[in-house]
Amino acid sequence: MEDKAIRGVPWALLSYASSKLITICATIVLAHLLVPDEFGLVALASLLANLLNIFSDLGLSTTLILRQNLEREAMRTIFSLMLILSVGLATAVTALSPLIADAFGEPRLAGVLAALSPIVILGGVNWFYEAVLQRELEFRRRFVALAAQGAGYAAVAIPLAALGAGVWSLVVGQLAASALLAAVLVRLSPYQIRPGFDRRVAREIVSTSRGFMAQGGVAFLSQNTDYLAVGKMLGTTQLGFYSMAYRLAELPYLGIADPIARVTFPAFARMRQRGEDIRPAFLSGLRLVALVACPIGVLLSATADPFTRAILGTSWLTMIGPLAVLGVWAAIYPVQWTFGWLLNSLGLQGAVARISFSVLLVSAPALFAAAKLGGLTAIAWTMLGSLTLSLIPLMILARRRGELAILTQLGALWPVLIGIAASWAAARIVADAMAGQAAGIALVASVGTGIAAYAATLFVVAPRLLGGSLQQARRALRPADSAAPETP
């Protein structure tokens, strides 16, 4: 990959630390100020608002990144389409909010959903300008924007919760964060795009975006059908427990896999345009994602009990079971996500969407059955099974269309797989042995033991892996010889 893309990796990772990690820390603070039912109510409303955000994008932002030869007129058309769609969907969700509340048997949902509808409008702006920054590999500017978003949420939500605003502290916090993100993205974009429209260009762009739109919609449903099942079958209080466990399980994906994919996707698109082989770069990225992200997930699984008691308190003990399972899910999901974006960069977005849809047809009814028959932990097991089911065909497709043999794929992963197995076992043994001790002490001891076991195992089975990864990190962090010129 080109140097600008490689140097974008640490900024993409820092973007997560500045936004998602700040948000998670704020959520932990809010967990001590609010009750699970309030988290569940906002989680359900946010789920529906985010679903509309997906349709306001229609895969257009991904096409903006993939199509490196787009002229300014095409960009104006994309921006206009996204704005029109977002305004229409925000109007629709406001009008339909009472009916949606009735469908879920939750009267409070109508007001919360209507209040969150401006996020859908702002989403059109945010999707577009974040894609512009990705397209131009301007990840340092994206870092500033996402830092402002995370800080804005914490600065608004926490004081309101402390003052007794309840569920509205979460709503207003999300609105403030989304508005601040839009303002900073527009300000920091290397160029501003005015709305404009060309019917011929619109038809061409929508045709290209169709596969990304289908993939985004199916991926959203695949990732959120569990929320729908819990909210519909078990109520907002149980959804509050489950959503907190799921947010924590998302950390390895949000912190490692997603930032790296945001760099590699436009970089791979540029490499393909130049006729270069992207396989070595992909395997290097896959190895890095697995090395860092997978152990976070398994440690979260192994230490679910002391983690919940020490960080969130005894009022959240119901989430221990699902968190223990979702931690394993968290170790696999970053790998699956990385394969998906490789295939997207090869122009196989339609095939990825079809695979996701096929798995969804099986997992959706299974999730509702699990909610009815087994509760939160059964839902977590169902999520783990569907994720594993979707990874296999992606690896097969990478072999057929990406010319990456299965053994080559596994060769990038096997040391990490052995390491995380040892890490989980060591951390879980210590966590169980110290069950009667103070939760904070048990958490530190079990996490420390798990990390030591992981590092020791890697040193034995793949002694060069850590050194090679450090060399990659040094290359990413070294200063540029000269500043890259901005796109006019």
Side-chain angles (χ1 to χ4, degrees), residues 223-244:
Q223 294 166 14
N224 292 283
T225 302
D226 52 340
Y227 273 41
L228 290 173
V230 176
K232 179 66 176 176
M233 307 297 293
L234 303 177
T236 55
T237 299
Q238 292 297 303
L239 181 56
F241 291 122
Y242 183 84
S243 66
M244 182 65 74

Side-chain angles (χ1 to χ4, degrees), residues 143-195:
F143 156 72
V144 174
L146 294 182
Q149 179 191 30
Y153 175 77
V156 172
I158 292 175
L160 286 177
L163 293 172
V167 69
W168 295 106
S169 62
L170 302 175
V171 173
V172 177
Q174 289 192 28
L175 288 169
S178 186
L180 187 58
L181 175 63
V184 178
L185 283 173
V186 173
R187 177 66 181 83
L188 295 182
S189 175
Y191 44 83
Q192 276 77 47
I193 299 295
R194 297 189 309 273

Side-chain angles (χ1 to χ4, degrees), residues 85-168:
L85 288 167
S86 60
V87 171
L89 290 169
T91 303
V93 73
T94 302
L96 295 175
S97 57
L99 296 177
I100 297 172
D102 288 341
F104 281 90
E106 179 51 75
R108 298 173 298 168
L109 183 60
V112 173
L113 193 55
L116 287 174
S117 60
I119 290 179
V120 180
I121 299 176
L122 293 167
V125 178
N126 293 339
W127 278 104
F128 179 82
Y129 275 102
E130 191 171 352
V132 168
L133 294 182
Q134 283 185 252
R135 173 189 173 87
E136 305 301 335
L137 302 178
E138 293 289 352
F139 291 97
R140 182 162 54 181
R141 300 185 184 198
R142 180 174 174 271
F143 156 72
V144 174
L146 294 182
Q149 179 191 30
Y153 175 77
V156 172
I158 292 175
L160 286 177
L163 293 172
V167 69
W168 295 106

